[in-house]
C-alpha cells in the first residue's frame, strides 16, 4: 500500500528541530537522516554525545535524491559523507565515529578489548531480540500473537536488565548498548498504549534502566514531538507500513 507524502511530517519538530537548526552549516561530516527513524537516532545520539561537528540533511523517504542513492545504494538512512566518502548502517556508523574522531570524548565503545567485545555481544542481543521483538509486537494483528509477542519482548527486556551495571549498561558511562536501544525506549509508549506492554511489566530493573535512557539529553535532543510519531506508527499498528523493516518483519526475515 502506497502511503502519501502528506502522511509524514517533512522535518523534525520540537527539541529535535532545535538540534537540526544548530547543524545546518557545512562540515566535513554530512549526516543524511530521517527525523522519524530509530536507526537514524542511534547515529544521531552518538554525534550529540560526542560533540562531533556535523551537517544535518533530511532525506525525504518518498523522493530520494540521486546523490543520496549514489552514496547509499540501499536507499536507507542513516548515511554519512566523511570528507567526500560515503558510509551507512547505523551501528557501523556509531563505531566509525569513535575511530574517526578519537579526540572527542567520551567514546561510545570502551577501550578495554574484553569489555569492548562484551558490549558487542549485547549490542547483537539488542539487534536480534529487542528491536525485532518490538516491531513484531507493533505489527501483530492477531490477539493471541500479540500476547505471545508481549511475553517474548518482556523476557528479552528482563534478560538485558540482568546485565545492567548502573544507570547505563556498563554503569556510569553511556555507551553503545545504550545507544542501540535508546530509540526504541523513546518509542515504547507505542507498545504501552496500543499493545498493553509497559516498562514496569518487565520488572523494576528494566523500568529503572529504561527511564534513565529516556531522559538522557542526547535522546531528548534527537526526539521530535510524539504526535508526529503517532502518524507513522499508526501504519505499523495496522500492519500497512511498506518500509523495508516492516516488510522484513511481515516475511519473518531479519530487519535489513
Amino acid at each position: 500500500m502506497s502511503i502519501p507524502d502528506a502522511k509524514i511530517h517533512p522535518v523534525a519538530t520540537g527539541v529535535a528541530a532545535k538540534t537540526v537548526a544548530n547543524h545546518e552549516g557545512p562540515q566535513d561530516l554530512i549526516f543524511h537522516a530521517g527525523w522519524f527513524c530509530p536507526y537514524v537516532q542511534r547515529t544521531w545520539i552518538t554525534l550529540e554525545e560526542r560533540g562531533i561537528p556535523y551537517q544535518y540533511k533530511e532525506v525525504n523517504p518518498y523522493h530520494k535524491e540521486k546523490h543520496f542513492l549514489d552514496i547509499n545504494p540501499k536507499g536507507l538512512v542513516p548515511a554519512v559523507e566523511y570528507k567526500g566518502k560515503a558510509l551507512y548502517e547505523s551501528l557501523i556508523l556509531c563505531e566509525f565515529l569513535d575511530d574517526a574522531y578519537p579526540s572527542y570524548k567520551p567514546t561510545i565503545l570502551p577501550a578495554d578489548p574484553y569489555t569492548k567485545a562484551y558490549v558487542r555481544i549485547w549490542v547483537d542481543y539488542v539487534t536480534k531480540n529487542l528491536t525485532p521483538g518490538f516491531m513484531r509486537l507493533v505489527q501483530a494483528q492477531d490477539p493471541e500473537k500479540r500476547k505471545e509477542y508481549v511475553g517474548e519482548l518482556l523476557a528479552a527486556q528482563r534478560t538485558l536488565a540482568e546485565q545492567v551495571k548502573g544507570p547505563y549498561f556498563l554503569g556510569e558511562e553511556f555507551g553503545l548498548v545504550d545507544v542501540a536501544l535508546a530509540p526504541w525506549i523513546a518509542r515504547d509508549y507505542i507498545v504501552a498504549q496500543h499493545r498493553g506492554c509497559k516498562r514496569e511489566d518487565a520488572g523494576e530493573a528494566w523500568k529503572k534502566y529504561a527511564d534513565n535512557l529516556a531522559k538522557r539529553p542526547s535522546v531528548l535532543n534527537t526526539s521530535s514531538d510524539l504526535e508526529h510519531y503517532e502518524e507513522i506508527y499508526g501504519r505499523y499498528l495496522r500492519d500497512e507500513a511498506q518500509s523495508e523493516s516492516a516488510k522484513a518483519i511481515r516475511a519473518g526475515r531479519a530487519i535489513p
Side-chain angles (χ1 to χ4, degrees):
M1 179 178 181
S2 177
I3 306 296
D5 295 4
K7 294 292 185 180
I8 279 189
H9 197 276
V11 294
T13 58
V15 180
K18 296 177 182 178
T19 303
V20 170
N22 290 331
H23 294 278
E24 293 180 338
Q27 296 289 347
D28 286 341
L29 183 77
I30 302 172
F31 179 44
H32 295 272
W35 67 266
F36 53 86
C37 177
Y39 300 97
V40 164
Q41 195 174 12
R42 284 172 165 173
T43 307
W44 202 2
I45 287 169
T46 302
L47 287 165
E48 287 295 306
E49 282 287 331
R50 304 199 57 228
I52 294 170
Y54 65 94
Q55 181 181 14
Y56 183 102
K57 286 196 174 182
E58 189 73 40
V59 176
N60 185 319
Y62 298 107
H63 293 289
K64 295 168 185 173
E65 297 177 357
K66 181 180 182 301
H67 176 71
F68 176 71
L69 294 174
D70 286 343
I71 67 170
N72 184 358
K74 295 178 74 172
L76 301 175
V77 288
V80 303
E81 289 176 87
Y82 173 71
K83 298 181 179 180
K85 298 177 181 179
L87 290 168
Y88 45 91
E89 300 294 349
S90 64
L91 293 171
I92 291 173
L93 293 178
C94 292
E95 293 205 27
F96 161 75
L97 292 170
D98 261 14
D99 294 334
Y101 295 90
S103 64
Y104 287 79
K105 304 294 182 180
T107 57
I108 290 298
L109 279 168
D112 175 69
Y114 173 84
T115 309
K116 185 181 293 186
Y118 175 78
V119 163
R120 286 175 171 146
I121 287 171
W122 286 98
V123 168
D124 184 66
Y125 183 83
V126 170
T127 300
K128 291 179 178 176
N129 295 276
L130 287 159
T131 55
F134 180 99
M135 294 310 302
R136 276 196 299 270
L137 177 56
V138 170
Q139 288 181 229
Q141 302 301 297
D142 178 76
E144 291 304 312
K145 278 293 183 184
R146 289 180 186 175
K147 290 180 183 177
E148 177 185 340
Y149 293 155
V150 166
E152 290 177 356
L153 182 57
L154 292 175
Q157 290 171 343
R158 292 186 189 107
T159 296
L160 184 73
E162 290 173 358
Q163 304 299 317
V164 174
K165 297 172 174 60
Y168 306 113
F169 184 76
L170 287 180
E172 295 297 326
E173 296 182 3
F174 185 87
L176 190 58
V177 175
D178 310 307
V179 168
L181 184 59
W184 282 267
I185 298 301
R187 292 159 176 76
D188 67 5
Y189 71 96
I190 297 289
V191 292
Q193 292 179 6
H194 298 281
R195 297 293 185 256
C197 184
K198 301 179 177 64
R199 289 178 192 174
E200 56 265 30
D201 296 337
E204 183 180 351
W206 173 261
K207 184 179 185 307
K208 186 175 181 180
Y209 174 54
D211 287 350
N212 286 331
L213 292 185
K215 65 186 180 185
R216 183 79 178 181
S218 62
V219 177
L220 295 172
N221 292 340
T222 56
S223 295
S224 285
D225 294 331
L226 296 186
E227 64 190 86
H228 297 302
Y229 292 114
E230 286 283 350
E231 295 171 3
I232 295 165
Y233 281 93
R235 304 169 206 180
Y236 290 87
L237 291 163
R238 297 186 299 272
D239 199 21
E240 296 173 351
Q242 294 302 314
S243 68
E244 293 305 313
S245 62
K247 292 175 185 177
I249 290 292
R250 201 173 290 129
R253 305 191 310 268
I255 297 175

Short mmCIF file of all heavy atoms in Angstrom, two decimals, residues 26-32 43 47 50 52-57 67-68 71-72 78-88 92-104:
data_model
loop_
_atom_site.label_atom_id
_atom_site.label_comp_id
_atom_site.label_asym_id
_atom_site.label_seq_id
_atom_site.Cartn_x
_atom_site.Cartn_y
_atom_site.Cartn_z
N PRO A 26 27.90 23.85 6.65
CA PRO A 26 28.80 22.85 6.06
C PRO A 26 29.81 22.32 7.09
O PRO A 26 30.33 23.08 7.91
CB PRO A 26 29.50 23.61 4.94
CG PRO A 26 28.60 24.76 4.63
CD PRO A 26 27.97 25.15 5.93
N GLN A 27 30.07 21.02 7.01
CA GLN A 27 31.07 20.36 7.86
C GLN A 27 31.71 19.24 7.06
O GLN A 27 31.21 18.82 6.02
CB GLN A 27 30.41 19.77 9.12
CG GLN A 27 29.80 20.78 10.06
CD GLN A 27 30.83 21.63 10.80
OE1 GLN A 27 32.02 21.31 10.80
NE2 GLN A 27 30.37 22.69 11.44
N ASP A 28 32.83 18.73 7.56
CA ASP A 28 33.48 17.59 6.92
C ASP A 28 32.58 16.36 6.94
O ASP A 28 32.67 15.49 6.06
CB ASP A 28 34.80 17.24 7.63
CG ASP A 28 35.91 18.23 7.33
OD1 ASP A 28 35.79 18.96 6.31
OD2 ASP A 28 36.88 18.27 8.09
N LEU A 29 31.73 16.27 7.96
CA LEU A 29 30.82 15.13 8.09
C LEU A 29 29.40 15.59 7.77
O LEU A 29 28.86 16.47 8.43
CB LEU A 29 30.87 14.57 9.52
CG LEU A 29 30.01 13.33 9.75
CD1 LEU A 29 30.69 12.10 9.16
CD2 LEU A 29 29.75 13.11 11.23
N ILE A 30 28.80 14.98 6.74
CA ILE A 30 27.41 15.25 6.39
C ILE A 30 26.57 14.06 6.83
O ILE A 30 26.86 12.91 6.46
CB ILE A 30 27.25 15.48 4.88
CG1 ILE A 30 28.13 16.64 4.42
CG2 ILE A 30 25.78 15.76 4.53
CD1 ILE A 30 28.16 16.81 2.91
N PHE A 31 25.55 14.31 7.63
CA PHE A 31 24.69 13.29 8.21
C PHE A 31 23.36 13.28 7.46
O PHE A 31 22.56 14.19 7.60
CB PHE A 31 24.49 13.59 9.69
CG PHE A 31 23.60 12.66 10.44
CD1 PHE A 31 23.68 11.28 10.27
CD2 PHE A 31 22.67 13.15 11.36
CE1 PHE A 31 22.86 10.41 10.98
CE2 PHE A 31 21.86 12.29 12.08
CZ PHE A 31 21.95 10.93 11.89
N HIS A 32 23.14 12.25 6.64
CA HIS A 32 21.89 12.09 5.90
C HIS A 32 20.92 11.32 6.79
O HIS A 32 21.20 10.16 7.16
CB HIS A 32 22.14 11.35 4.59
CG HIS A 32 23.01 12.12 3.64
ND1 HIS A 32 22.50 13.02 2.73
CD2 HIS A 32 24.35 12.11 3.46
CE1 HIS A 32 23.49 13.54 2.02
NE2 HIS A 32 24.63 13.01 2.45
N THR A 43 22.66 6.86 15.41
CA THR A 43 23.84 7.61 14.97
C THR A 43 23.77 9.05 15.44
O THR A 43 24.79 9.64 15.83
CB THR A 43 23.95 7.54 13.43
OG1 THR A 43 23.91 6.16 13.02
CG2 THR A 43 25.24 8.18 12.95
N LEU A 47 26.50 11.21 17.66
CA LEU A 47 27.05 12.51 17.27
C LEU A 47 26.86 13.55 18.38
O LEU A 47 27.79 14.30 18.72
CB LEU A 47 26.36 13.01 16.00
CG LEU A 47 26.76 12.30 14.70
CD1 LEU A 47 25.76 12.60 13.59
CD2 LEU A 47 28.17 12.69 14.28
N ARG A 50 29.04 12.87 21.60
CA ARG A 50 30.47 13.10 21.46
C ARG A 50 30.80 14.52 21.01
O ARG A 50 31.96 14.89 20.96
CB ARG A 50 31.06 12.06 20.51
CG ARG A 50 30.74 10.62 20.98
CD ARG A 50 31.66 9.60 20.37
NE ARG A 50 33.02 9.93 20.67
CZ ARG A 50 34.00 9.95 19.76
NH1 ARG A 50 33.74 9.66 18.50
NH2 ARG A 50 35.23 10.26 20.11
N ILE A 52 30.56 15.87 18.07
CA ILE A 52 31.24 15.90 16.77
C ILE A 52 30.54 16.89 15.84
O ILE A 52 29.32 16.87 15.72
CB ILE A 52 31.23 14.48 16.15
CG1 ILE A 52 32.08 13.53 17.01
CG2 ILE A 52 31.71 14.50 14.71
CD1 ILE A 52 31.93 12.07 16.63
N PRO A 53 31.29 17.76 15.17
CA PRO A 53 30.66 18.69 14.21
C PRO A 53 30.07 17.91 13.02
O PRO A 53 30.74 17.04 12.45
CB PRO A 53 31.81 19.58 13.76
CG PRO A 53 32.89 19.37 14.76
CD PRO A 53 32.74 17.98 15.26
N TYR A 54 28.85 18.22 12.65
CA TYR A 54 28.21 17.56 11.52
C TYR A 54 27.18 18.48 10.89
O TYR A 54 26.66 19.40 11.53
CB TYR A 54 27.55 16.25 11.93
CG TYR A 54 26.38 16.40 12.89
CD1 TYR A 54 25.06 16.47 12.42
CD2 TYR A 54 26.58 16.47 14.27
CE1 TYR A 54 23.99 16.61 13.30
CE2 TYR A 54 25.52 16.60 15.16
CZ TYR A 54 24.22 16.67 14.65
OH TYR A 54 23.17 16.82 15.53
N GLN A 55 26.90 18.23 9.62
CA GLN A 55 25.83 18.93 8.91
C GLN A 55 24.67 17.97 8.74
O GLN A 55 24.83 16.87 8.17
CB GLN A 55 26.30 19.44 7.55
CG GLN A 55 25.22 20.19 6.78
CD GLN A 55 25.69 20.68 5.42
OE1 GLN A 55 26.73 20.24 4.93
NE2 GLN A 55 24.93 21.56 4.80
N TYR A 56 23.50 18.36 9.21
CA TYR A 56 22.31 17.52 9.13
C TYR A 56 21.59 17.76 7.82
O TYR A 56 21.32 18.89 7.45
CB TYR A 56 21.38 17.84 10.30
CG TYR A 56 20.13 16.98 10.37
CD1 TYR A 56 20.05 15.92 11.28
CD2 TYR A 56 19.04 17.24 9.56
CE1 TYR A 56 18.90 15.14 11.35
CE2 TYR A 56 17.89 16.46 9.62
CZ TYR A 56 17.83 15.41 10.51
OH TYR A 56 16.69 14.63 10.58
N LYS A 57 21.27 16.68 7.10
CA LYS A 57 20.48 16.78 5.87
C LYS A 57 19.32 15.79 5.93
O LYS A 57 19.54 14.58 6.05
CB LYS A 57 21.34 16.52 4.64
CG LYS A 57 22.29 17.66 4.31
CD LYS A 57 22.84 17.55 2.90
CE LYS A 57 23.67 18.77 2.53
NZ LYS A 57 24.18 18.69 1.14
N HIS A 67 21.76 11.94 -5.64
CA HIS A 67 23.03 11.97 -4.90
C HIS A 67 22.97 11.04 -3.69
O HIS A 67 23.94 10.31 -3.42
CB HIS A 67 23.33 13.40 -4.44
CG HIS A 67 24.57 13.48 -3.60
ND1 HIS A 67 25.84 13.31 -4.11
CD2 HIS A 67 24.73 13.70 -2.26
CE1 HIS A 67 26.73 13.42 -3.15
NE2 HIS A 67 26.09 13.66 -2.01
N PHE A 68 21.85 11.03 -2.99
CA PHE A 68 21.74 10.14 -1.82
C PHE A 68 21.79 8.68 -2.25
O PHE A 68 22.47 7.86 -1.62
CB PHE A 68 20.45 10.42 -1.05
CG PHE A 68 20.23 9.48 0.10
CD1 PHE A 68 21.02 9.56 1.24
CD2 PHE A 68 19.27 8.48 0.04
CE1 PHE A 68 20.85 8.67 2.30
CE2 PHE A 68 19.10 7.58 1.09
CZ PHE A 68 19.89 7.69 2.22
N ILE A 71 25.33 7.57 -2.98
CA ILE A 71 26.22 7.31 -1.85
C ILE A 71 25.74 6.12 -1.01
O ILE A 71 26.52 5.54 -0.27
CB ILE A 71 26.39 8.55 -0.94
CG1 ILE A 71 25.07 8.90 -0.23
CG2 ILE A 71 26.93 9.73 -1.72
CD1 ILE A 71 25.23 9.94 0.85
N ASN A 72 24.46 5.76 -1.13
CA ASN A 72 23.92 4.62 -0.38
C ASN A 72 22.98 3.83 -1.29
O ASN A 72 21.78 4.14 -1.35
CB ASN A 72 23.20 5.08 0.88
CG ASN A 72 22.71 3.91 1.72
OD1 ASN A 72 22.87 2.74 1.34
ND2 ASN A 72 22.10 4.19 2.85
N PRO A 78 20.32 5.77 8.32
CA PRO A 78 21.24 6.89 8.13
C PRO A 78 22.38 6.56 7.16
O PRO A 78 22.68 5.39 6.91
CB PRO A 78 21.80 7.09 9.54
CG PRO A 78 21.87 5.69 10.10
CD PRO A 78 20.63 5.02 9.56
N ALA A 79 22.98 7.63 6.66
CA ALA A 79 24.22 7.52 5.89
C ALA A 79 25.03 8.77 6.18
O ALA A 79 24.47 9.80 6.59
CB ALA A 79 23.93 7.41 4.39
N VAL A 80 26.32 8.68 6.00
CA VAL A 80 27.17 9.86 6.19
C VAL A 80 28.11 10.00 5.01
O VAL A 80 28.44 9.02 4.33
CB VAL A 80 28.00 9.82 7.50
CG1 VAL A 80 27.10 9.67 8.71
CG2 VAL A 80 29.06 8.73 7.45
N GLU A 81 28.51 11.22 4.77
CA GLU A 81 29.64 11.51 3.89
C GLU A 81 30.73 12.10 4.77
O GLU A 81 30.50 13.08 5.49
CB GLU A 81 29.25 12.51 2.81
CG GLU A 81 28.33 11.95 1.76
CD GLU A 81 27.91 13.01 0.77
OE1 GLU A 81 28.66 13.22 -0.22
OE2 GLU A 81 26.86 13.64 0.98
N TYR A 82 31.89 11.47 4.72
CA TYR A 82 33.02 11.90 5.54
C TYR A 82 34.17 12.25 4.62
O TYR A 82 34.74 11.36 3.96
CB TYR A 82 33.42 10.77 6.50
CG TYR A 82 34.67 11.03 7.29
CD1 TYR A 82 34.69 11.97 8.31
CD2 TYR A 82 35.84 10.32 7.02
CE1 TYR A 82 35.84 12.20 9.05
CE2 TYR A 82 37.00 10.53 7.76
CZ TYR A 82 36.99 11.47 8.77
OH TYR A 82 38.13 11.70 9.50
N LYS A 83 34.44 13.54 4.51
CA LYS A 83 35.50 14.01 3.62
C LYS A 83 35.31 13.45 2.21
O LYS A 83 36.25 13.00 1.55
CB LYS A 83 36.87 13.63 4.18
CG LYS A 83 37.17 14.26 5.53
CD LYS A 83 38.53 13.90 6.05
CE LYS A 83 38.82 14.55 7.40
NZ LYS A 83 40.14 14.21 7.94
N GLY A 84 34.05 13.45 1.77
CA GLY A 84 33.73 13.03 0.41
C GLY A 84 33.51 11.54 0.21
O GLY A 84 33.20 11.11 -0.90
N LYS A 85 33.65 10.76 1.26
CA LYS A 85 33.45 9.31 1.17
C LYS A 85 32.20 8.91 1.94
O LYS A 85 31.92 9.46 3.00
CB LYS A 85 34.66 8.56 1.71
CG LYS A 85 35.95 8.84 0.94
CD LYS A 85 37.13 8.11 1.57
CE LYS A 85 38.43 8.42 0.82
NZ LYS A 85 39.59 7.74 1.45
N ALA A 86 31.47 7.92 1.41
CA ALA A 86 30.17 7.56 1.97
C ALA A 86 30.22 6.28 2.79
O ALA A 86 30.96 5.34 2.49
CB ALA A 86 29.16 7.40 0.85
N LEU A 87 29.41 6.26 3.85
CA LEU A 87 29.21 5.08 4.70
C LEU A 87 27.76 5.04 5.15
O LEU A 87 27.09 6.06 5.21
CB LEU A 87 30.12 5.13 5.93
CG LEU A 87 31.63 4.95 5.73
CD1 LEU A 87 32.36 5.32 7.01
CD2 LEU A 87 31.94 3.52 5.32
N TYR A 88 27.31 3.83 5.53
CA TYR A 88 25.95 3.69 6.04
C TYR A 88 25.89 2.51 7.01
O TYR A 88 26.91 1.88 7.27
CB TYR A 88 24.93 3.54 4.90
CG TYR A 88 25.33 2.58 3.80
CD1 TYR A 88 24.97 1.25 3.84
CD2 TYR A 88 26.07 3.04 2.71
CE1 TYR A 88 25.33 0.37 2.83
CE2 TYR A 88 26.44 2.17 1.69
CZ TYR A 88 26.06 0.84 1.75
OH TYR A 88 26.43 -0.03 0.75
N ILE A 92 27.36 0.50 12.56
CA ILE A 92 28.68 0.66 11.95
C ILE A 92 29.09 2.13 12.00
O ILE A 92 30.25 2.45 12.31
CB ILE A 92 28.68 0.14 10.51
CG1 ILE A 92 28.55 -1.39 10.52
CG2 ILE A 92 29.95 0.56 9.76
CD1 ILE A 92 28.37 -2.01 9.16
N LEU A 93 28.15 3.01 11.74
CA LEU A 93 28.45 4.44 11.80
C LEU A 93 28.83 4.87 13.22
O LEU A 93 29.73 5.69 13.40
CB LEU A 93 27.26 5.26 11.31
CG LEU A 93 26.93 5.12 9.82
CD1 LEU A 93 25.69 5.95 9.47
CD2 LEU A 93 28.12 5.54 8.95
N CYS A 94 28.15 4.32 14.22
CA CYS A 94 28.48 4.67 15.60
C CYS A 94 29.92 4.30 15.93
O CYS A 94 30.66 5.08 16.54
CB CYS A 94 27.53 3.95 16.57
SG CYS A 94 25.81 4.52 16.48
N GLU A 95 30.34 3.12 15.49
CA GLU A 95 31.71 2.69 15.75
C GLU A 95 32.70 3.51 14.91
O GLU A 95 33.78 3.87 15.39
CB GLU A 95 31.86 1.20 15.45
CG GLU A 95 31.08 0.32 16.42
CD GLU A 95 31.65 -1.08 16.54
OE1 GLU A 95 32.89 -1.24 16.31
OE2 GLU A 95 30.90 -2.00 16.87
N PHE A 96 32.33 3.81 13.68
CA PHE A 96 33.18 4.63 12.83
C PHE A 96 33.46 5.99 13.47
O PHE A 96 34.59 6.49 13.43
CB PHE A 96 32.51 4.83 11.47
CG PHE A 96 33.06 5.98 10.69
CD1 PHE A 96 34.30 5.90 10.06
CD2 PHE A 96 32.35 7.18 10.60
CE1 PHE A 96 34.81 6.98 9.36
CE2 PHE A 96 32.87 8.26 9.89
CZ PHE A 96 34.10 8.16 9.27
N LEU A 97 32.46 6.58 14.08
CA LEU A 97 32.63 7.89 14.70
C LEU A 97 33.63 7.83 15.85
O LEU A 97 34.36 8.80 16.09
CB LEU A 97 31.28 8.42 15.18
CG LEU A 97 30.30 8.77 14.06
CD1 LEU A 97 28.91 9.07 14.64
CD2 LEU A 97 30.79 9.94 13.23
N ASP A 98 33.68 6.71 16.56
CA ASP A 98 34.72 6.54 17.58
C ASP A 98 36.11 6.56 16.96
O ASP A 98 37.04 7.20 17.46
CB ASP A 98 34.52 5.21 18.31
CG ASP A 98 33.81 5.36 19.65
OD1 ASP A 98 33.23 6.44 19.90
OD2 ASP A 98 33.82 4.40 20.43
N ASP A 99 36.26 5.84 15.84
CA ASP A 99 37.56 5.71 15.19
C ASP A 99 37.99 6.99 14.49
O ASP A 99 39.17 7.36 14.50
CB ASP A 99 37.53 4.56 14.18
CG ASP A 99 37.36 3.20 14.84
OD1 ASP A 99 37.74 3.06 16.02
OD2 ASP A 99 36.83 2.29 14.18
N ALA A 100 37.03 7.66 13.86
CA ALA A 100 37.35 8.83 13.05
C ALA A 100 37.59 10.08 13.89
O ALA A 100 38.28 11.01 13.46
CB ALA A 100 36.24 9.10 12.03
N TYR A 101 37.00 10.11 15.09
CA TYR A 101 37.10 11.29 15.95
C TYR A 101 37.58 10.88 17.36
O TYR A 101 36.87 11.06 18.34
CB TYR A 101 35.75 11.99 16.04
CG TYR A 101 35.29 12.57 14.72
CD1 TYR A 101 34.53 11.80 13.85
CD2 TYR A 101 35.60 13.87 14.36
CE1 TYR A 101 34.09 12.33 12.63
CE2 TYR A 101 35.17 14.40 13.15
CZ TYR A 101 34.42 13.62 12.29
OH TYR A 101 34.00 14.14 11.09
N PRO A 102 38.78 10.32 17.46
CA PRO A 102 39.26 9.83 18.76
C PRO A 102 39.47 10.92 19.80
O PRO A 102 39.44 10.64 21.00
CB PRO A 102 40.58 9.14 18.41
CG PRO A 102 41.04 9.81 17.15
CD PRO A 102 39.78 10.11 16.39
N SER A 103 39.66 12.15 19.37
CA SER A 103 39.91 13.22 20.33
C SER A 103 38.63 13.75 20.98
O SER A 103 38.69 14.49 21.96
CB SER A 103 40.66 14.38 19.66
OG SER A 103 39.86 14.98 18.65
N TYR A 104 37.49 13.37 20.44
CA TYR A 104 36.20 13.79 21.02
C TYR A 104 35.79 12.77 22.06
O TYR A 104 35.59 11.59 21.75
CB TYR A 104 35.13 13.93 19.93
CG TYR A 104 35.33 15.14 19.04
CD1 TYR A 104 36.27 15.11 18.01
CD2 TYR A 104 34.59 16.29 19.23
CE1 TYR A 104 36.46 16.21 17.19
CE2 TYR A 104 34.76 17.41 18.41
CZ TYR A 104 35.71 17.36 17.40
OH TYR A 104 35.90 18.44 16.59
#
